[in-house]
Amino acid sequence: MIATMTNLQANEKPKLIIFDVNETLLDLESMRTSVGKALNDDESLLPLWFSTMLHYSLVDTTRGEFHDFGKIGVAALQMVAKNNGIILTDEQAKQAIVPPLLSLPPHPDVREGLTQLTDAGYKIISLTNSSNAGVKAQFKHANLTQFFVERLSVEDIGFYKPDLRSYEWALKEMGVKPQEVLMVAAHGWDIAGAKSAGLQTAFIARPNKQLYPLAPQPDYLVNDLLELVEELNNAYPE
């Protein structure tokens, strides 16, 4: 994949790069075992569980409510289980989700990619739907903490991405303008939201992840973080 050059010509070099966390930086595939075990060993239901969790986080946002992302994950797993004739207690669902989610490994390209971005002088933060405590634990386990000058969670504002207010809040917190920021994500919905909020965007095409065809295209389309580093170096040579 290559960057969209017409967009790059109009963009300025990012002063800040914002990363989504789950699936963008951290590999959710390791949860297939724990989620599959809770669902009668049907590991194919992992994507359905995650999409159901995202769906109902937005249900909360649209109705002015907020529940911790982990609690929504537990509820979503119970919903998927019930649709497949399986009954899970709160504790069973929690144990299938929370410990594995907090110990996700980074994708193979992530540490080297973040190292190169940091060495190139980019300021990096994360913006996630996960809780503050959750992403802190995730980064500590994945050995990523040192790359980020700030970790932002929608827990502090009470509405989930891709609500435009989440991106606007992050910009305000960091004191930057939309056009000065690059949002990096492996989710079409996150790219669509950030683009609508005026940010530059980069889509990392992790396996089985797709852009939303009805949203504006991102500024960068890459297969992994190392390819994004290369595109940035080509677009903004020293």
Side-chain angles (χ1 to χ4, degrees), residues 1 8 21 27-28 33 44-45 47 53 56 63 74 82 87 101-102 132 135 141 147 167 195 201 204 208 211 222:
M1 295 182 180
L8 293 180
V21 177
D27 190 356
L28 205 67
T33 300
S44 69
L45 291 174
M53 178 169 60
Y56 282 94
R63 68 192 188 95
V74 167
K82 193 170 183 179
I87 302 300
L101 191 61
L102 296 180
N132 286 301
V135 74
H141 180 271
F147 296 110
Y167 306 101
K195 196 67 177 173
T201 55
I204 299 184
N208 301 313
L211 288 166
V222 295

Side-chain angles (χ1 to χ4, degrees):
M1 295 182 180
I2 59 173
T4 307
M5 298 307 296
T6 54
N7 288 342
L8 293 180
Q9 291 170 355
N11 286 338
E12 56 184 280
K13 183 177 180 178
K15 293 182 179 180
L16 178 71
I17 299 179
I18 302 179
F19 278 92
D20 172 56
V21 177
N22 294 317
E23 296 194 298
T24 301
L25 297 174
L26 303 180
D27 190 356
L28 205 67
E29 283 297 301
S30 64
M31 290 190 68
R32 281 191 181 273
T33 300
S34 63
V35 171
K37 184 177 180 181
L39 299 174
N40 284 353
D41 296 320
D42 190 347
E43 296 185 359
S44 69
L45 291 174
L46 175 68
L48 178 59
W49 161 70
F50 193 71
S51 63
T52 301
M53 178 169 60
L54 292 171
H55 179 100
Y56 282 94
S57 70
L58 293 181
V59 169
D60 266 10
T61 294
T62 57
R63 68 192 188 95
E65 295 286 342
F66 186 85
H67 293 95
D68 177 270
F69 205 44
K71 290 182 178 179
I72 297 175
V74 167
L77 186 61
Q78 290 173 316
M79 294 169 73
V80 173
K82 193 170 183 179
N83 279 340
N84 287 272
I86 305 165
I87 302 300
L88 292 179
T89 65
D90 286 352
E91 185 60 27
Q92 287 172 327
K94 183 178 179 180
Q95 288 305 309
I97 294 171
V98 177
L101 191 61
L102 296 180
S103 57
L104 295 175
H107 287 287
D109 55 289
V110 166
R111 286 200 188 99
E112 179 58 29
L114 292 176
T115 297
Q116 291 186 24
L117 288 174
T118 301
D119 289 346
Y122 287 103
K123 186 177 182 180
I124 302 171
I125 71 167
S126 61
L127 175 62
T128 177
N129 283 340
S130 297
S131 67
N132 286 301
V135 74
K136 180 180 180 180
Q138 286 181 315
F139 277 11
K140 182 178 180 179
H141 180 271
N143 193 26
L144 300 181
T145 304
Q146 66 273 21
F147 296 110
F148 294 85
V149 299
E150 189 68 74
R151 298 185 305 269
L152 299 182
S153 166
V154 301
E155 180 182 42
D156 293 334
I157 48 173
F159 33 78
Y160 286 96
K161 295 186 298 175
D163 190 298
L164 298 188
R165 292 171 294 178
S166 62
Y167 306 101
E168 293 164 356
W169 168 74
L171 297 176
K172 184 177 180 181
E173 286 291 299
M174 300 306 299
V176 289
K177 300 175 182 177
Q179 64 272 21
E180 297 174 333
V181 178
L182 174 65
M183 178 76 203
V184 183
H187 299 116
W189 52 265
D190 210 351
I191 294 296
K195 196 67 177 173
S196 293
L199 283 67
Q200 299 179 46
T201 55
F203 179 71
I204 299 184
R206 299 298 186 195
N208 301 313
K209 300 302 171 190
Q210 300 294 329
L211 288 166
Y212 179 41
L214 301 183
Q217 290 292 297
D219 300 282
Y220 301 87
L221 293 168
V222 295
N223 291 308
D224 58 32
L225 188 48
L226 295 176
E227 189 174 333
L228 177 60
V229 173
E230 182 179 356
E231 294 290 356
L232 287 170
N233 288 340
N234 291 337
Y236 307 105
E238 294 296 332

